[in-house]
Amino acid sequence: MAPLLASHLGIDAFTVSNLNTDQFGTFTREIPRTGSMIDAARAKALHAIEQTGADLAIASEGYFGPHPDIPLAPGNLEIVLLLDQRHGVEIIGQKLTTHVRWVHGIVNNIEDGLRLAYKGGFPDHAMVVRRAEHDPGEMVKGLADEQSFIECVRRLLARTPDHSVFIESDLRAHCNPTRMETICQATLNLIEVMGCFCPRCETPGFQCIEAVAGLPCRWCGLPTAWPAAHRYRCSRCCHESIKPVAEAFADPGHCAFCNP
Ligand SMILES: [Zn+2]
Ligand SMILES: [Zn+2]
């Protein structure tokens, strides 16, 4: 993120040491996230501002789960939130992708464990080994070399009554280069959004906050669930405007009447 922020926005980014972002939720589920992704990213940015006295902070937050639009595909949504307290501005970049290195499963021996790990891009992509999916006891994160991984799997296999362990990708950004690429894409989106200025107060980051459904069906003219327009809003002065989409009609395939 830092080179992009420097070259496009002139922001000299640095990381905050001793900032434990696990308190805002973990991928390994021992600390659940409270609120939305945006709430979590904002909480991280505010925490960084409190720690450093800076007036501008950038935080990211990620989601892994089923892709919202593509059945049976894995999805990763990354958001990058820029909080500028001096100007009272909050701007969000995002990227949704099916491009993930993300594995998880139960194994009963070291060979199967290694096979699963390598499928997940190990050792460039680190692994987590634990006794069971929802048992954080003796969980080891950030395993990124074969020797430590094998030792950990062997140790936990011996400790569980059914001789099994749960292995999953360590989805923390510094442990998953594929996720880093997606965060990079979300940062590029943030830069793009910042190139859009509020028509009223000229603050950067005039961004789409919602799609407005209702594009009429080409056959029957009834409104569909397809977006007819997008609502844009300035986070500083709250000015809003509606931009209609380029198409005049929706495909009848999206019409509840023509294609129920
Ligand atoms: Zn129709
Ligand atoms: Zn404005």
Side-chain angles (χ1 to χ4, degrees):
M1 292 170 76
L4 291 174
L5 296 169
S7 62
H8 291 267
L9 303 175
I11 293 172
D12 179 17
F14 59 94
T15 54
V16 185
S17 54
N18 303 323
L19 195 154
N20 177 14
T21 57
D22 277 0
Q23 62 184 295
F24 305 109
T26 60
F27 283 111
T28 34
R29 303 170 294 284
E30 70 276 27
I31 302 171
R33 186 180 68 210
T34 56
S36 68
M37 288 179 75
I38 292 174
D39 292 338
R42 187 186 297 125
K44 288 178 190 172
L46 281 169
H47 200 65
I49 283 171
E50 281 164 19
Q51 298 272 304
T52 59
D55 53 17
L56 190 150
I58 294 167
S60 83
E61 178 70 13
Y63 156 87
F64 283 80
H67 193 283
D69 305 323
I70 305 170
L72 305 177
N76 172 211
L77 173 65
E78 294 295 337
I79 66 166
V80 171
L81 181 143
L82 179 147
L83 187 63
D84 176 350
Q85 287 214 307
R86 194 194 303 172
H87 300 103
V89 176
E90 180 180 289
I91 304 168
I92 295 161
Q94 57 180 301
K95 176 68 184 179
L96 173 65
T97 183
T98 57
H99 177 57
V100 297
R101 291 307 287 275
W102 174 34
V103 293
H104 45 87
I106 298 167
V107 300
N108 300 100
N109 57 64
I110 288 165
E111 293 69 39
D112 287 350
L114 278 171
R115 201 170 296 126
L116 181 64
Y118 280 110
K119 196 178 153 210
F122 182 77
D124 296 339
H125 294 66
M127 293 291 137
V128 178
V129 176
R130 59 201 296 173
R131 292 187 299 219
E133 185 174 0
H134 297 288
D135 180 357
E138 295 186 81
M139 173 167 64
V140 182
K141 298 186 188 183
L143 290 163
D145 71 272
E146 205 174 277
Q147 194 188 339
S148 322
F149 178 81
I150 290 172
E151 277 169 19
C152 185
V153 173
R154 181 178 291 132
R155 189 176 73 247
L156 291 193
L157 279 173
R159 303 264 179 102
T160 54
D162 60 350
H163 208 65
S164 71
V165 295
F166 187 82
I167 292 169
E168 61 188 308
S169 301
D170 194 331
L171 294 172
R172 294 175 297 167
H174 66 283
C175 293
N176 193 298
T178 305
R179 187 177 168 218
M180 282 191 229
E181 287 170 27
T182 305
I183 293 172
C184 176
Q185 298 290 320
T187 308
L188 287 169
N189 178 244
L190 174 80
I191 290 161
E192 192 184 321
V193 170
M194 288 189 72
C196 193
F197 294 83
C198 172
R200 189 202 269 168
C201 75
E202 296 185 341
T203 297
F206 195 60
Q207 65 188 334
C208 176
I209 52 158
E210 148 179 78
V212 184
L215 193 64
C217 168
R218 191 180 300 119
W219 287 353
C220 71
L222 287 173
T224 65
W226 219 240
H230 291 98
R231 187 191 303 277
Y232 285 71
R233 180 187 217 156
C234 170
S235 69
R236 188 178 195 188
C237 77
C238 297
H239 174 70
E240 287 192 6
S241 78
I242 301 258
K243 292 187 190 173
V245 297
E247 313 81 65
F249 293 103
D251 188 292
H254 302 303
C255 176
F257 182 72
C258 299
N259 184 26

